[in-house]
Amino acid sequence: MAEATLTTSPTSSHPAGPSTSPAPAPPERAPIGAFIFMSRWLQVPLYLGLIVAQAFYVWQFMKELWHLGVGLFTGHVHATAEQLAEDPTADQFTSGDMIIAVLGLVDVVMIANLLIMVIIGGYETFVSRIRLDDHPDQPEWLSHVNANVLKTKLAMSIIGISSIHLLASFIEAESTIETYGAEPLLWQTLIHIAFILSAMALAWIDRVSTKHPPRPRVAPVTADAAADAPGA
């Protein structure tokens, strides 16, 4: 009996699958465009400088806190000879001095918060993504930050800082009016109102841009894509 020899092709054991087209190559970028886009890294030293400035504000906060503690426990504050000549009680630590000192501490904290918004939000918006999606300490506002949201939050922070300065000026209004008149208080109030109007305008612009987002750009159809389309 003759033996039958069975031959199989190398590809007979593997079922033929659907043909897949190779992945399209990424579009080539113009050298000048890539260079301009890379220039965003020039902002990194600016944000590092703001971090150094924040460290200086931490030092300023500790100094203010030390002066507050010394005045609270000793009942005296530093006063020059001229101040003592005009008012013998100028070196006494009063409740008004404590309010001014606490407002100064709050002012430093709010400016530090403003720096944090500029450093983190600005870097995330204009330089590169920090990728904190899974970080438990990710700020709530960072998940939806953009240029408009960042400007609005900065404006609100500036209003808070201006409010603290205005409140401190009103606490010392009596001495300010006796020395300089009411004009400094008037100008501070007008500047504060200007900050509020600017923040309202930024919030309105952000609301309008959210309601009417820009239309998405439609990519042009190339000849190869038209040939590969079904029914072509």
Side-chain angles (χ1 to χ4, degrees), residues 125 145-153 202-203 205-206 209-210:
T125 304
V145 67
N146 54 47
N148 291 332
V149 173
L150 186 61
K151 286 187 292 186
T152 303
K153 288 187 175 296
L202 289 174
I205 293 173
D206 181 52
S209 62
T210 303

Side-chain angles (χ1 to χ4, degrees), residues 1 10 21 34 51 62-63 68 86 95 98 103-104 114 127 129 131 140 160 168-169 184 200 207 228 230 232:
M1 181 182 294
S21 58
I51 294 175
M62 300 308 296
K63 287 177 58 180
L68 175 61
E86 294 178 359
S95 59
M98 185 171 182
L103 288 177
L114 179 63
V127 180
R129 297 206 177 269
R131 306 188 188 281
E140 183 272 335
S169 299
M200 292 174 61
R207 182 177 180 182
D228 295 339

Side-chain angles (χ1 to χ4, degrees), residues 2 16 59 70 74 132 137 147 161 163 191:
W59 175 254
V70 170
T74 63
L132 296 176
D137 296 331
I161 296 171
S163 301
I191 293 173

